[in-house]
Amino acid sequence: MNTTDTTPLRAVALVCTLSPSPHPSSSQLLAEQTMAALSEHGVTGKTIRIADHDVQPGVKADMGEGDAWPEIRSTILNCDILIVSTPIWLGHPSSIAQRVLERLDAELGESDDEGRMLTYGKVAAVCVVGNEDGAHKVSADLFQGLNDVGFSLAPNAVTYWVGEAMQGTDYQDLDKIPEKTAATTKTLAANTAHLARRLKSASYPPSS
């Protein structure tokens, strides 16, 4: 496929807050800011708040009647970029983020005609927010899981904000975006879009 620096890309951000809409969410806010940064690189797409959907527990692509994951999975497979945005809970990704990884585990059993997982060639990145420490640990957990199920990671594939420990301020409570977070979001967007375009023009080799 012939791609250029202006080849359109598609992205979806899975927001893994525990709170359904319309409850305010710092994870939603940072995901939206990341999507806005990606739009500056010719990327379009949408956010999906997982708590608004009945994503059932399990490790299959479709867990049966009422399961919302098949439609979300279809959106992921039709995109070039996947963003996972999570709060920090007790030093870990949210339980919803863990469920997303568990449902993505089904991709280990899916492949194209050349033996490659259907997620090969897609690029993932992570957003993390919290008012406790743990952003590096949370991103490391998500990076490993996303890579295991076939996604590629660009350099600096995480943007995050962590507030002062044992305080109540959330990211959404801030008057303005902190300079460092804004800078890491821009870097994530630039590197992720760049890698996604490279992978569209040069597929991974067939798997044995």
Side-chain angles (χ1 to χ4, degrees), residues 134-170:
H136 284 173
K137 193 268 184 187
V138 166
S139 60
D141 286 351
L142 293 176
F143 284 167
Q144 184 64 56
L146 290 164
N147 191 248
D148 280 348
V149 297
F151 291 90
S152 298
L153 302 167
N156 304 118
V158 61
T159 184
Y160 67 89
W161 178 86
V162 176
E164 186 179 356
M166 294 183 286
Q167 301 297 317
T169 300
D170 290 330

Side-chain angles (χ1 to χ4, degrees), residues 10-29:
R10 292 280 300 169
V12 61
L14 304 185
V15 178
C16 298
T17 175
L18 300 182
S19 303
S21 301
H23 196 283
S25 165
S26 293
S27 300
Q28 180 83 32
L29 177 59

Side-chain angles (χ1 to χ4, degrees), residues 35-57:
M35 294 294 281
L38 283 166
S39 73
E40 297 177 10
H41 299 275
V43 182
T44 59
K46 64 180 181 179
T47 63
I48 299 174
R49 193 184 291 206
I50 300 297
D52 292 342
H53 304 272
D54 184 12
V55 174
Q56 297 180 11

Side-chain angles (χ1 to χ4, degrees), residues 34 90 96 102:
T34 299
L90 302 173
I96 289 180
E102 290 164 354

Side-chain angles (χ1 to χ4, degrees), residues 49-199:
R49 193 184 291 206
I50 300 297
D52 292 342
H53 304 272
D54 184 12
V55 174
Q56 297 180 11
V59 292
K60 296 180 180 179
D62 188 342
M63 295 302 297
E65 184 178 357
D67 185 18
W69 182 253
E71 183 175 351
I72 295 170
R73 176 178 182 264
S74 178
T75 300
I76 295 169
L77 293 180
N78 285 318
C79 285
D80 307 290
I81 296 168
L82 170 65
I83 306 295
V84 177
S85 185
T86 182
I88 301 169
W89 281 112
L90 302 173
H92 298 276
S94 73
S95 58
I96 289 180
Q98 181 63 30
R99 179 163 297 185
V100 165
L101 289 181
E102 290 164 354
R103 295 306 302 270
L104 285 170
D105 185 78
E107 302 311 319
L108 293 170
E110 304 289 336
S111 61
D112 63 16
D113 293 339
E114 295 188 308
R116 295 171 295 210
M117 280 191 281
L118 304 182
T119 47
Y120 275 25
K122 301 184 185 301
V123 182
V126 171
C127 305
V128 183
V129 290
N131 51 19
E132 57 179 286
D133 198 6
H136 284 173
K137 193 268 184 187
V138 166
S139 60
D141 286 351
L142 293 176
F143 284 167
Q144 184 64 56
L146 290 164
N147 191 248
D148 280 348
V149 297
F151 291 90
S152 298
L153 302 167
N156 304 118
V158 61
T159 184
Y160 67 89
W161 178 86
V162 176
E164 186 179 356
M166 294 183 286
Q167 301 297 317
T169 300
D170 290 330
Y171 184 66
Q172 62 188 335
D173 299 328
L174 304 180
D175 293 331
K176 62 179 182 178
I177 304 172
E179 182 178 338
K180 291 293 186 181
T181 300
T184 57
T185 300
K186 288 185 65 175
T187 299
L188 178 158
N191 290 352
T192 297
H194 174 81
L195 180 57
R197 287 197 173 91
R198 299 291 78 77
L199 291 176

